[in-house]
Amino acid sequence: MIKKVIEQSNNLLYEPELRTIPVGVSARHIHLSLEHIDTLFGKGYELQLYKELSQPGQFAAKESVMLAGPKGTIDKVRILGPARGTTQVEVSLTDAHRLGISPPIRDSGDIAGSSPITIIGPKGSVYLKEGAIIASRHIHMSEEDAWQFQVHDKEKVHVISQTERRVIFSDVKIRVHANYRLEFHIDTDEANAARLTNQDQVWILKYE
């Protein structure tokens, strides 16, 4: 199977018209519920826009928090808005080692049974019994993008980097929504392994 994938990926070098996908490297961050925004920053506090993100309606807030685990802390962890129904912390494996936690690799929103963690803000702190994950790598696509790539929502594909440190990422889930903008999301550990940065281009390869 691995040999087959490598052979297919090598053939991509000879298909210059093949459409590529931009990379979005996702650093550690946190999504907060309204309840926890109140606890961490004060009752009725509203997150302030720092910059818009690539996915429509999403933004990086000016505010940040500290994460605390059994072995250490990480300060200035960026909050992403808008507020969500449930608080979720997304870290890399390197971050997890520093904090002393063992978060599972999960799709965003799937936090049942995930790692506990403490969040510290300027006005208070929150202890989550579950909520810390390592986000599964995935590709955001609009319905039109999915049609052009001939893939469907929740399908898994291979992704091949075009850098000098060439890497094949397997089990990459396609996520399709009318409002999504085309982008391959990976965390900082994965990006560093392949020497990828934001807006680098990658190929996808369908499973046979």
Side-chain angles (χ1 to χ4, degrees), residues 92-107:
S92 69
L93 184 58
T94 298
D95 294 332
H97 289 326
R98 179 174 169 183
L99 293 165
I101 61 175
S102 300
I105 299 173
R106 296 279 184 82
D107 292 342

Side-chain angles (χ1 to χ4, degrees), residues 14-86:
Y14 305 101
E15 297 185 43
E17 301 304 320
L18 194 68
R19 191 177 178 201
T20 58
I21 296 175
V23 173
V25 180
S26 184
R28 68 180 79 99
H29 62 271
I30 182 169
H31 303 276
L32 291 174
S33 66
L34 285 173
E35 175 189 358
H36 290 158
I37 292 174
D38 285 349
T39 302
L40 296 167
F41 293 93
K43 187 70 174 178
Y45 189 89
E46 295 185 4
L47 297 175
Q48 303 299 302
L49 174 68
Y50 171 64
K51 67 176 180 179
E52 301 285 349
L53 299 179
S54 59
Q55 296 306 311
Q58 306 295 305
F59 66 91
K62 291 181 179 179
E63 297 81 2
S64 62
V65 294
M66 176 184 288
L67 300 179
K71 290 186 177 180
T73 62
I74 298 178
D75 199 8
K76 298 182 180 179
V77 177
R78 182 75 64 182
I79 300 169
L80 301 190
R84 291 194 176 185
T86 305

Side-chain angles (χ1 to χ4, degrees), residues 69-179:
K71 290 186 177 180
T73 62
I74 298 178
D75 199 8
K76 298 182 180 179
V77 177
R78 182 75 64 182
I79 300 169
L80 301 190
R84 291 194 176 185
T86 305
T87 294
Q88 173 179 295
V89 176
E90 297 183 33
V91 295
S92 69
L93 184 58
T94 298
D95 294 332
H97 289 326
R98 179 174 169 183
L99 293 165
I101 61 175
S102 300
I105 299 173
R106 296 279 184 82
D107 292 342
S108 180
D110 182 9
I111 62 171
S114 59
S115 287
I117 196 162
T118 298
I119 307 163
I120 303 169
K123 299 292 186 179
S125 64
V126 172
Y127 173 73
L128 299 180
K129 292 182 179 179
E130 56 186 20
I133 65 170
I134 296 172
S136 300
R137 48 186 178 249
H138 57 276
I139 300 173
H140 286 284
M141 286 189 180
S142 67
E143 293 166 343
E144 181 180 350
D145 291 325
W147 180 83
Q148 291 183 356
F149 281 100
Q150 293 296 290
V151 294
H152 57 79
D153 189 42
K154 298 182 181 179
E155 180 177 353
K156 290 186 177 181
V157 297
H158 303 292
V159 168
I160 300 94
S161 67
Q162 299 185 45
T163 61
E164 68 270 32
R165 179 168 280 182
R166 196 169 177 198
V167 172
I168 299 172
F169 298 97
S170 295
D171 297 323
V172 180
K173 184 178 287 186
I174 302 293
R175 295 171 59 181
V176 179
H177 190 279
N179 295 330

